[in-house]
Amino acid sequence: MKQTHYHTCNLCEAMCGIEIEHRGDEILSIRGDKDDPFSRGHICPKAVALQDLHNDPDRLRHPVKRTVDGWVPISWEEALDETARRLHEIRQAHGKDAVALYLGNPTAHNHGALFMLSPFTRALHTRQRYSATSADQLPHQLATWQLFGHQALFPIPDVDRTDYFLIIGGNPLASNGSIMTVPDIKGRLKAIQKRGGKVVVLDPRRTETAKVADEHHFVRPGTDVYLLLALLQVMFEELLIAPGRLDAILDGKQTLAKLVANWKPEKVADTVGLDADAIRKLARDIAAAPRAAIYSRVGLTTSAHSTLSAWLVYVLNIVTGNLDREGGVMFTKPAFDIVSLGAAGGETGSFDRYRSRVHGYPEFGGEFPVTTLADEMLTPGKGQVKAFISHAGNPVLSCPDGRKLDKALAGLDFMVSIDFYINETTRHADIILPPTGQLEHAQFDPIFQAVSVRNVVKFTGPLVDKPEGALHDWEILNGLVTRLNRLNARDRRSRLKVAAADRFVRKLGDRGLVDLGLRLGPYGTAGKVLEDLRRDGLHTLPKIAWKVLRGEKKGLTLKKLLANPHGMDLGPLVPMLPERLYTRDRRINLVPALYFRALQGLPAPRAISPDTMLMIGRRHIRSNNSWMHNSQRLVKGKGRCNAMLHPDDAARLGIEDGEALTVSSKAGTITLPAWVCEDIMPGVISVPHGWGHDREGVLLGVARRVAGESVNDVISSSNVEAVTAMAQLNGIPVKVAAAENAVPKKAVGS
Ligand SMILES: Nc1nc2c(c(=O)[nH]1)N[C@H]1C(S)=C(S)[C@@H](COP(=O)(O)OP(=O)(O)OC[C@H]3O[C@@H](n4cnc5c(=O)[nH]c(N)nc54)[C@H](O)[C@@H]3O)O[C@H]1N2
Ligand SMILES: Nc1nc2c(c(=O)[nH]1)N[C@H]1C(S)=C(S)[C@@H](COP(=O)(O)OP(=O)(O)OC[C@H]3O[C@@H](n4cnc5c(=O)[nH]c(N)nc54)[C@H](O)[C@@H]3O)O[C@H]1N2
Ligand code: SF4
Ligand SMILES: [Mo]
């Protein structure tokens, strides 16, 4: 019988509603769900490829173990027992920090896995924790923590009401938005223009987004910090600073004025690649817009000086009165409130409480930056990492110095991957634990609902019941938590406690936790208890338990949410300040000490020598980091793993369109086809990440054929950001040359 199932696509952050027609396990069609109040029928080509993922013969459906005869299937019992035993042995022999954990991007898209992270990291009790955060949004989180008191309290552009939308280092037409959940960004940008507003893009490439914008300016990679300082200088000099109602809760305005006073546009113009008049005009336009939203993303947070740049973007929003104003950048009021739940659990943020062993890099949020992961494995001595757990990540392709990491992983005593593919990273594992696929588990998005341009909430069940013998991510993690804790338990009482916790988690399940979170949220049956807790302290806990259990009639629960299979719209973003602040005094200090110090260390702007090429990345709508390349539907057509460069550079280097070129740095060299094109700033070369699938042992039939090269093989892990030591992935100085006698590696999908 033909059936219709409603789901949320979880491949990127846009949370598009999809309508799946199916007959049992057989998918007949995937379309946008027109009745989803948020995405209103919008999808991108990746949603349709969910069926390729679902049906992919290369997707693992049972645990496997590496043997001399290759991978062999093993039972879950054996896989989980052996994994826990090996990890425990290594811990006993070498200490807790001998086990490292890496969490990849899809962890954030999987509510079950998210719920188990805290028990899992507690069971591991290692300081060797890593995630894609330090190759991505760390500077945003550091800034929100420093300014607003909570690392997850992100100001989100109110795109549906703004008059002026400035995008710095983001390309939402390809990425569909990030830390800004916004299905159909193209339609929403057009709507800004239709109501007389303006979209402005600052990017070293004339991107898909730049092409639909009203204005686009090339900026040289890694120089945003200088531009932002100059914008603030102009605003202070021309008396354009107008925080409005925020003035009453701001500190540090005078300090800021002094700090930016010397950064006149003339001082930075050559370095940024934008003339002084254009910078002044930009500052005046931002200030003159009745409602402006200034937004920055990966191009800014993964390039030089990203700590300072991310902070300055928020500061610009604040001093122009656009924070917490309709049409500016606003905080969300999510039904499942990760901000208040995190705070109730004592987690608002942390930085530099301790440092990494080999390079002395600072911890952030309990994690070290990925730039030191390989060295912690390769450098002998007390505390050397001997075992590795990867969850939903592919650091060999996604972190800098991929070849070095390859070498490090190959030398470990034990590695386990929780992933359903044997890819560039997981091929090094001893055991692979594959969770259910995207359509086999329920979908709820605690993170992305909390960074959405409207307040929305949705829960969708799985398309099909999970196959016999399959486990969800949360069940795998719970299985490991229980076993690790059992091995650690010293007496019978502790063992009983472990067994009770296991029973509790399994009984509650992912749904139980969603329900609990909704009840505790601002629309929930026990909605005010977290506020009470925050005000009155821990002695209110019994009161909370009572309220939650008694379950007042009014308010949101999972049951009520399930009655809305297309999701619920909870309205536009609303002003939340000062109540929403988590700073001790509920005020905003514009210049926290960390940034004051960082600014003292900022090098003077420099002229770039004309023959240094700076490399940046590039995302494509039909690709998703490193892992959707096994769908023929997505990779077919013209190859996308190529190097875009300007005709002037191509002529100077003697490179013709389509010919092979080499990109090299101290980390390595890759050879790929040239794409000569006017859409990029002279002196800049753009190469996408997530390719390079023909490494030995990769079991991805389609992706292997497409192959491409991994740009992170030429990005050195020693090239770190000055304050946080996080990865620099954009604005990398490289040598570019015509590849003599080399045939470009075939990078097409047909
Ligand atoms: N040069 C360069 N490098 C970059 C970037 C860049 O712009 N340029 N971008 C960076 C950014 S922003 C990010 S977020 C990282 C991403 O880097 P990673 O997170 O390390 O890599 P992904 O490619 O997202 O790999 C995801 C893995 O998760 C698996 N997976 C998918 N869904 C699930 C699931 O539900 N459960 C489990 N257990 N596994 C699942 C997939 O099979 C795949 O192996 O890359 C970073 N690297
Ligand atoms: N289709 C698709 N969608 C995705 C992903 C994907 O891989 N494919 N990945 C997802 C993930 S994990 C993330 S984090 C988001 C990222 O979402 P976005 O940040 O929107 O991603 P990008 O397309 O990498 O945009 C970064 C832009 O910054 C520009 N840039 C590079 N260096 C600089 C610089 O120094 N200064 C300035 N001003 N600009 C610079 C680049 O040219 C690029 O246009 O996308 C998510 N969505
Ligand atoms: S934009 Fe595409 S990949 Fe992202 S959620 Fe929507 S359909 Fe899925
Ligand atoms: Mo990301």
Side-chain angles (χ1 to χ4, degrees), residues 242-261:
R245 119 188 125 77
L246 296 178
D247 221 359
I249 52 165
L250 287 188
D251 294 312
K253 227 166 57 186
Q254 298 309 325
T255 314
L256 182 68
K258 275 193 212 131
L259 283 173
V260 302

Side-chain angles (χ1 to χ4, degrees), residues 43 84 104 111 221 277 309 327 345 432 438 494 512 533 584 603 640 642 720 722 731:
I43 49 165
H111 65 277
D277 287 344
S309 305
I432 305 180
Q438 324 310 92
S494 322
L533 177 70
R584 216 166 290 149
R640 286 193 290 275
N642 51 28
V720 302

Side-chain angles (χ1 to χ4, degrees), residues 9 11-12 14-16 42-44 46-47 176:
C9 175
L11 295 175
C12 85
M15 298 195 311
C16 297
H42 175 267
I43 49 165
C44 84
K46 288 187 295 300
N176 286 301

Side-chain angles (χ1 to χ4, degrees), residues 576-592:
M576 307 270 284
L577 291 189
E579 291 73 23
R580 190 64 163 161
L581 291 176
Y582 281 82
T583 46
R584 216 166 290 149
D585 51 5
R586 295 227 181 157
R587 295 176 63 80
I588 299 171
N589 176 10
L590 286 168
V591 192

Side-chain angles (χ1 to χ4, degrees), residues 10-11 13 53 102-107 109-110 113 131-133 135-137 178 297-299 302 390-400 417-426 433-438 441 473 476 615-619 624-628 687-690 700 711-712 715 728-730 732:
N10 78 342
L11 295 175
E13 300 180 29
L53 199 60
Y102 173 88
L103 305 171
N105 168 274
T107 311
H109 296 260
N110 188 310
S131 78
T133 290
D136 187 348
Q137 81 287 0
S178 182
R297 218 29 210 100
V298 157
T302 60
S390 75
H391 181 269
N394 192 3
V396 166
L397 293 194
S398 57
C399 294
S417 291
I418 302 162
D419 204 301
F420 37 60
Y421 281 123
I422 300 182
N423 63 20
E424 300 70 21
T425 297
T426 62
L433 306 170
T436 47
Q438 324 310 92
H441 60 71
D473 273 284
I476 298 173
M615 183 166 68
I616 60 169
R618 175 159 36 100
R619 279 178 164 78
N624 196 25
N625 293 321
S626 76
W627 73 280
M628 287 294 288
V687 179
H689 75 283
L700 297 163
V711 70
N712 285 321
I715 299 183
Q728 277 189 43
L729 305 166
N730 277 288
I732 310 294

Side-chain angles (χ1 to χ4, degrees), residues 620 634-642 657 674-675 747-750:
H620 192 282
L634 288 183
V635 295
K636 70 178 183 217
K638 191 171 168 278
R640 286 193 290 275
C641 185
N642 51 28
D657 187 52
W675 176 7
V748 289
S750 44

